Amino acid sequence: MSKPEKDPRDIAKAATAKKNEYPKCLLCEENEGYAGHISHPARQNHRIILVKLADRDYYFQYSPYVYYNEHCIVFNKEHTPMKIDKAVFVKLLDFVKQFPHYIVGSNADLPIVGGSILSHDHFQGGSYTFAMAKAPYEYMFQVKGYEDVTSGIVKWPMSVIRLQSKKPERIVELSDYILNAWRNYTDEDAFIFSETDGEPHNTITPIARMNGDLYEMDLVLRNNITTEEKPWGVYHPEEKLHHIKKENIGLIEVMGLAVLPARLKKEMLTLGEAIVEGKDIRTMEEIEKHADWVDEWRNHYNITKENVNQILKDEIAKVFVKVLECAGVYKRTEEGQNAFRKFISTL
């Protein structure tokens, strides 16, 4: 309820905007205790804790948007842009070594597929088991030279490679190898282009956790290419889903937790009443954008005042699964999975 719904194009602009304001962004250490101003939220009760990750200074804080238990943000002491590289894998695994009951991950480092703040290097974590962590391996493989690392594709709407080992340094090396291979990978038949006109498109959303005595790294393949037909992004929620979710699909959503715009709370209340009372949704300005969606499923239920809210929640969940499938570079079809394995074979 406290997080504004952002337009992906505004997020991209903010990543490169030249600013002299104090603090430079919502993550900088100067936010601690900051009174705020009309366009910058107050942080008087905000506190940060110094942590060392791979001998670099980072700060640990609890998030002002508590999406799940102990939702935390770990941000670089320096105001430096997001970048996914080998050093990130080292830091993520160092974090879970120090805090084995937490998961931690990084948003991708490119607009459209990245998080809402690309201008400051940071991770997110917490004491929570996401749905993706429970998802099993679907297809196992070995990479030559890394036979000691358990590797496979995860059964998940998005395109996820999971690595497991008791030796974090081995996961780091293989993660870096996969990242570099993916950054340079093009498969025109699958509409995956590493770059167009010098602009890079391939990157990774990495997530680290402990699984018993095993270190575990999930590498979610991302691509931010756009076309005239899909200016929001080819691997971005389709426009017909924007009435529920139009923002970038970031780290938390990737792992299976829907972060939805606050407007939906009021809209779904109004929509539920309108459905029960048999009103014409298309004549109601606040909720007319939901009319086509409601038409798809309203006849599947015997809708009453008592069950309408649960039905709306269930149907929103189905939309969110479609949102994740849109963001997956390899679709959950035979053709899509064959293309995924084609990339794996290049490793």
Side-chain angles (χ1 to χ4, degrees), residues 138-139 141 152-162 178 182 185 187 190 192 219-221 328-347:
E138 187 169 47
Y139 171 78
F141 62 87
I153 293 172
V154 179
K155 187 177 183 182
W156 192 245
M158 295 183 71
S159 307
V160 186
I161 296 169
R162 177 169 294 163
I178 293 171
W182 177 244
Y185 185 72
D187 180 354
I192 290 168
L219 305 173
V220 188
L221 306 182
V329 293
Y330 295 114
K331 303 308 176 193
R332 298 283 307 162
T333 61
E334 188 178 352
E335 182 183 21
Q337 292 305 293
N338 286 339
F340 196 172
R341 293 179 189 189
K342 182 179 171 186
F343 167 66
I344 296 295
S345 71
T346 68
L347 301 174

Side-chain angles (χ1 to χ4, degrees), residues 314-331:
D314 291 345
E315 290 298 329
I316 287 173
K318 291 174 188 174
V319 171
F320 182 60
V321 173
K322 289 178 185 172
V323 161
L324 290 185
E325 288 171 345
C326 287
V329 293
Y330 295 114
K331 303 308 176 193

Side-chain angles (χ1 to χ4, degrees), residues 157-174:
M158 295 183 71
S159 307
V160 186
I161 296 169
R162 177 169 294 163
L163 309 177
Q164 292 177 326
S165 175
K166 289 185 179 180
K167 297 178 179 177
E169 65 275 10
R170 295 295 288 158
I171 292 181
V172 168
E173 294 296 331
L174 183 49

Side-chain angles (χ1 to χ4, degrees), residues 25-40:
C25 78
L26 291 168
L27 290 179
C28 287
E29 61 180 300
E30 290 82 6
N31 282 284
E32 187 176 40
Y34 187 55
H37 52 76
I38 194 157
S39 60
H40 193 108

Side-chain angles (χ1 to χ4, degrees), residues 22-23 25-36 40-50 58-66 71-76 117 120 122-123:
Y22 172 96
C25 78
L26 291 168
L27 290 179
C28 287
E29 61 180 300
E30 290 82 6
N31 282 284
E32 187 176 40
Y34 187 55
H40 193 108
R43 292 283 187 260
Q44 287 105 323
N45 62 348
H46 186 55
R47 295 296 178 266
I48 58 179
I49 303 162
L50 186 68
Y58 275 72
Y59 285 117
F60 176 105
Q61 68 175 61
Y62 284 108
S63 171
Y65 313 119
V66 189
H71 177 201
C72 65
I73 297 169
V74 185
F75 64 96
N76 199 318
I117 300 176
H120 197 131
H122 71 286
F123 313 130

